[in-house]
Amino acid sequence: VSYSDLLRIFLSTHDPTTLNRQGADRGTQYRSVIFYQNDEEERQARKAVQEMQPYYSDPIVTEISPLRDFYEAEGEHQDFYRQNSEYGYCRVVIDPKLQKLRQQFAHMLKGATPKN
């Protein structure tokens, strides 16, 4: 999957028009953000946002920022969905996003077929 494809997938599988919010979750830790490592990635990110804007009635508010520091998530957050797919949050929030991903981008998923 190319970087530009990954950006379009990202902007299609969550709501990039809500500031500091994803569904019922609120706070800056839930903001929509694309971190770039160089000028080319920044250019592609801005281009992807511009190309995806017509698909949304509200402005895309996804932040585009340089990657400065990277912190690995705590152990209990590593592979969370795979280990806890029966949790209510996973079933209500993550499952629909995965279903949307599989339906819209099946042609990009290695060995995957769309699930209805």
Side-chain angles (χ1 to χ4, degrees):
V1 176
S2 71
Y3 182 68
S4 60
D5 286 339
L6 186 60
L7 292 168
R8 286 174 189 80
I9 291 167
F10 172 69
L11 292 165
S12 299
T13 54
H14 81 290
D15 185 352
T17 69
T18 56
L19 186 62
N20 299 331
R21 190 182 88 200
Q22 286 301 312
D25 297 319
R26 299 182 190 289
T28 56
Q29 69 271 32
Y30 296 105
R31 72 190 183 279
S32 175
V33 60
I34 297 168
F35 293 104
Y36 61 86
Q37 298 182 75
N38 55 50
D39 292 343
E40 178 59 20
E41 285 184 1
E42 179 185 15
R43 185 192 70 73
Q44 288 184 48
R46 294 191 186 286
K47 181 180 177 186
V49 167
Q50 185 178 23
E51 288 175 359
M52 295 299 293
Q53 183 57 68
Y55 296 97
Y56 294 95
S57 55
D58 293 322
I60 292 176
V61 295
T62 297
E63 179 184 320
I64 299 173
S65 297
L67 175 64
R68 301 208 189 283
D69 296 313
F70 178 81
Y71 300 96
E72 191 169 322
E74 298 88 356
E76 66 266 19
H77 295 291
Q78 298 291 331
D79 248 349
F80 183 85
Y81 178 79
R82 189 180 317 265
Q83 295 175 20
N84 303 285
S85 60
E86 295 303 314
Y87 278 20
Y89 179 88
C90 293
R91 298 187 79 167
V92 172
V93 177
I94 299 173
D95 283 350
K97 289 181 181 188
L98 288 174
Q99 183 177 6
K100 184 176 182 179
L101 171 74
R102 289 180 183 114
Q103 288 174 340
Q104 290 183 339
F105 299 100
H107 63 286
M108 293 182 186
L109 298 173
K110 191 174 189 177
T113 56
K115 293 182 180 179
N116 294 332

